[in-house]
Amino acid sequence: MDIRTLIMYFGIAVAGLGVLLLAFTTKWQGGWGYPYRTTNKPLARLGWLLLLIGLAILIGMAYLNGQLG
């Protein structure tokens, strides 16, 4: 395994951690409109940040490897 593959796996792990944080800080309130609310806003923001950083790492490495046009 080369370093580029490890960096892509790291990006996947960071994005996955962000998704888990978002999943655990969300609760359903029911009703119409947007029925989901966060239980911990700073932790949800951290989850969004980790998700975006992980996706940026993953897409950036795929671009640099020539896998994206």
Side-chain angles (χ1 to χ4, degrees):
M1 230 189 272
D2 62 341
I3 189 71
R4 289 176 285 192
T5 305
L6 291 176
I7 292 173
M8 289 180 80
Y9 285 149
F10 178 72
I12 292 170
V14 170
L17 182 63
V19 169
L20 285 176
L21 278 175
L22 288 172
F24 287 126
T25 60
T26 302
K27 71 176 182 175
W28 185 73
Q29 288 186 331
W32 295 95
Y34 186 68
Y36 299 101
R37 301 286 183 248
T38 183
T39 57
N40 188 343
K41 288 192 181 202
L43 204 56
R45 287 185 184 130
L46 178 64
W48 279 110
L49 182 67
L50 287 175
L51 178 64
L52 292 175
I53 289 172
L55 288 176
I57 291 171
L58 186 63
I59 293 170
M61 286 307 298
Y63 178 75
L64 292 175
N65 285 337
Q67 296 169 336
L68 300 176

